[in-house]
Amino acid sequence: MPGPTVVLVHGAFADASGFAGVIRELESAGHTALAPPNPLRGVAFDASAVSDVVKAIDGPVVLVGHSCGGAVIGQASAGLENDRPGFSRGVRAGGGESCASVQQPFPPPLLARTAAPAPYGAPGAAGGPDLYVQKDGFRETFCADVPVDMADVMFATQRPLAAAALSENATAAGWKNKPSWFLVSEHDNAISPDAERFMAQRMGATTATIDGSHTAFIARPVAAATFIQQALR
């Protein structure tokens, strides 16, 4: 049997290219990695898209989710047979919870002030606009530990999240009966680190912290890849 394929699922306001450094680290260590596009239209829709990718892979899979990609892999993994332990650096909602509701008891992050709706409806979503992170505050909110010129490119190429996706409840949570790993970013301004610690503890996840921003895996790919390899082992 082939070794596990690492399937990396990006979150809001980003695309799969952010995993470039992590992929290089994993593949240089002999692992296979794949980073499919996450549609960012809604939990059920996105989970279905990820599930189709995983079902087409011959052999075991370790799912890795960043930001709201954590909620997506939580839902997707409940209906998969070839996925193995999951790794998350973001939201893990339970059945009947949304990305917004699971964070509600905690102080709102900077993202609550810097995200803004587009002046048009979100194509392919349940209703309402797309959300973007505004130019002023983008780097501090999303990627404070990358150079300014790189943050400018990340702003210009950001993938919007359908606003409706934030309030859509997950209907399943694969982490309830599968081993999980969670990497908490100590300086995350998009999701409260306190919320991350709560989700990790509730999952019974093997947990570590990283001294970084919401996208710490971009600034510190070696540390992120090393943590993912714990799940692979």
Side-chain angles (χ1 to χ4, degrees):
M1 291 291 292
T5 297
V6 181
V7 175
L8 301 130
V9 180
H10 68 84
F13 318 119
D15 62 24
S17 66
F19 289 120
V22 172
I23 291 170
R24 283 194 294 268
E25 294 298 323
L26 291 172
E27 296 203 334
S28 68
H31 306 294
T32 300
L34 181 67
N38 180 4
L40 302 176
R41 301 295 84 186
V43 176
F45 187 91
D46 297 350
S48 177
V50 170
S51 293
D52 287 345
V53 171
V54 174
K55 289 173 183 176
I57 295 173
D58 182 19
V61 166
V62 170
L63 285 167
V64 177
H66 172 248
S67 189
C68 66
V72 171
I73 68 170
Q75 171 126 343
S77 64
L80 294 170
E81 296 181 357
N82 63 326
D83 75 308
R84 293 297 184 266
F87 163 86
S88 187
R89 235 291 315 126
V91 179
R92 280 300 186 98
E97 289 180 329
S98 68
C99 291
S101 68
V102 73
Q103 299 180 69
Q104 201 165 27
F106 302 94
L110 182 61
L111 178 64
R113 301 197 304 271
T114 56
Y120 48 80
D130 270 330
L131 293 178
Y132 288 87
V133 182
Q134 300 174 86
K135 176 71 171 178
D136 290 341
F138 179 85
R139 182 169 179 263
E140 184 182 0
T141 299
F142 199 65
C143 53
D145 43 9
V146 305
V148 172
D149 59 346
M150 185 175 182
D152 288 343
V153 172
M154 292 171 66
F155 165 77
T157 59
Q158 66 177 295
R159 289 272 310 281
L161 171 71
L166 290 174
S167 57
E168 180 186 346
N169 287 340
T171 58
W175 52 261
K176 289 186 175 181
N177 53 26
K178 295 179 181 179
S180 297
W181 279 254
F182 202 111
L183 188 60
V184 175
S185 281
E186 290 291 349
H187 307 292
D188 196 329
N189 287 326
I191 301 172
S192 165
D194 289 340
E196 294 177 18
R197 282 186 279 268
F198 162 75
M199 288 182 277
Q201 184 177 21
R202 183 178 65 168
M203 293 162 59
T206 299
T207 305
T209 60
I210 188 168
D211 183 18
S213 73
H214 186 65
T215 56
F217 65 94
I218 295 177
R220 300 185 59 193
V222 175
T226 298
F227 189 65
I228 292 170
Q229 289 180 80
Q230 292 184 27
L232 290 169
R233 289 193 290 268

